[in-house]
Amino acid sequence: MTQDTLIAVIGGSGIYDIDGLDDASWTSVTSPWGAPSDQILTGRLNGVKMAFLPRHGRGHVHSPTDVPYRANIDALKRLGATDVISVSACGSFREAMAPGDFVIVDQFIDRTFARDKSFFSSGCVAHVSVAHPTCPRLGDACEAAARAAGINVHRGGTYLAMEGPQFSSVAESKIYREVWGCDVIGMTNMPEAKLAREAELCYASIAMVTDYDSWHPDHGAVDIAEIIATLHGNSDKARSLVKGLPARLGAERTACPHGCDRALDNAIMTAPDKRDPELLAKLDAVAGRVLG
């Protein structure tokens, strides 16, 4: 069974739109989980349906903690998204992952604590595996598109998600790097990746390195001016990468070979007669496949 591909891009700091869309328009999507970060830019790129959501809103109005993650993922699901590409700025814990490089993340450590992390709760309890939180098929497409665009890209890495909005202390940075073995650090991929999995969406994370956090003896503390300068260059690279995705993912797709689109199979624990009707109504897009 096939379905139309709809590639949804969630843009991070410095990326507030994408270029070259045919029939482009900003669309308002209503979600029972609140208002998304912004309207969603929809259109087609080389014949493939595309959607773009600026994570922080145009003008960067949402802090990492205040991004409406549940509304964003729900809104993309309602639009018919099949594949979600997350693009975000990050710091690096590895000398080889230098500012200007991209990292296709495959693991996360979640250190956030002030965010709603699940669509499910009392009244409809579900436990979804995020052992492998990103989709290798999407990762392959992102890697190929990055290399074709001439981007220095690293395949695989662990992303430490911190609450923010402040950057790390030197002590924290050294722990994340030397003790926990993390590769990059950012503030926005959690709970985004967890929610995408609950919504049965294939998800890939592209971390754009802007700095060396605060561990590096030759670079000192994070410098906002340097980050902004690197962001501008990274934004151009990210747009080039996105333009290469439709050809690699195609206008139609079959079931995900890694099961991302079937993540809710056997996940819902609450007995049918004990489920909260109000919560079920809010889950109509995210879990409609299994809730009927």
Side-chain angles (χ1 to χ4, degrees):
M1 181 177 178
T2 63
Q3 65 181 123
D4 289 346
T5 299
L6 196 165
I7 304 170
V9 178
I10 302 177
S13 299
I15 302 177
Y16 306 109
D17 58 22
I18 53 176
D19 302 326
L21 288 183
D22 295 324
D23 303 319
S25 64
W26 287 94
T27 302
S28 296
V29 180
T30 300
S31 168
W33 304 95
S37 292
D38 204 326
Q39 292 179 303
I40 300 173
L41 181 64
T42 61
R44 289 180 179 268
L45 193 60
N46 297 327
V48 177
K49 294 179 182 178
M50 300 286 293
F52 174 82
L53 176 61
R55 184 185 287 111
H56 298 281
R58 285 168 287 179
H60 206 105
V61 296
H62 297 290
S63 77
T65 295
D66 297 329
V67 169
Y69 295 99
R70 291 191 296 185
N72 287 350
I73 294 298
D74 177 81
L76 293 176
K77 181 79 172 185
R78 288 178 188 280
L79 272 180
T82 54
D83 304 280
V84 176
I85 312 294
S86 165
V87 183
S88 59
C90 71
S92 170
F93 294 126
R94 304 295 161 207
E95 190 91 43
M97 296 177 176
D101 290 2
F102 285 16
V103 182
I104 299 175
V105 172
D106 58 3
Q107 285 293 325
F108 298 97
I109 294 177
D110 188 359
R111 292 284 292 166
T112 65
F113 53 83
R115 310 174 188 192
D116 294 316
K117 299 189 179 187
S118 178
F119 291 109
F120 299 93
S121 62
S122 297
C124 190
V125 176
H127 300 286
V128 174
S129 173
V130 288
H132 301 285
T134 63
C135 179
R137 179 184 61 87
L138 276 191
D140 289 343
C142 291
E143 180 183 13
R147 296 196 186 285
I151 299 167
N152 192 30
V153 61
H154 306 267
R155 182 63 186 270
T158 296
Y159 177 119
L160 188 289
M162 66 184 298
E163 186 63 51
Q166 301 87 357
F167 295 110
S168 306
S169 69
V170 173
E172 289 170 330
S173 190
K174 288 182 176 179
I175 287 173
Y176 301 151
R177 176 178 183 267
E178 298 170 10
V179 181
W180 291 4
C182 300
D183 298 295
V184 294
I185 183 168
M187 302 180 188
T188 56
N189 275 198
M190 283 292 168
E192 190 176 87
K194 291 177 177 177
L195 295 168
R197 179 56 52 84
E198 288 189 342
E200 300 191 317
L201 293 169
C202 293
Y203 181 88
S205 172
I206 301 170
M208 307 181 299
V209 178
T210 59
D211 58 87
Y212 280 116
D213 204 49
S214 57
W215 67 270
H216 201 296
D218 297 329
H219 290 268
V222 175
D223 185 295
I224 297 297
E226 291 182 4
I227 287 177
I228 292 173
T230 305
L231 272 176
H232 289 309
N234 282 351
S235 297
D236 293 338
K237 294 176 185 177
R239 291 186 175 91
S240 296
L241 188 159
V242 168
K243 288 180 180 179
L245 291 174
R248 289 167 174 82
L249 293 174
E252 291 186 343
R253 55 160 290 181
T254 56
C256 174
H258 307 285
C260 301
D261 53 4
R262 302 179 297 282
L264 292 177
D265 284 355
N266 306 311
I268 297 178
M269 306 300 293
T270 305
D273 63 331
K274 299 295 184 181
R275 296 172 185 172
D276 178 1
E278 290 186 12
L279 179 54
L280 294 184
K282 294 173 70 174
L283 291 168
D284 61 334
V286 167
R289 183 186 71 83
V290 294
L291 292 174

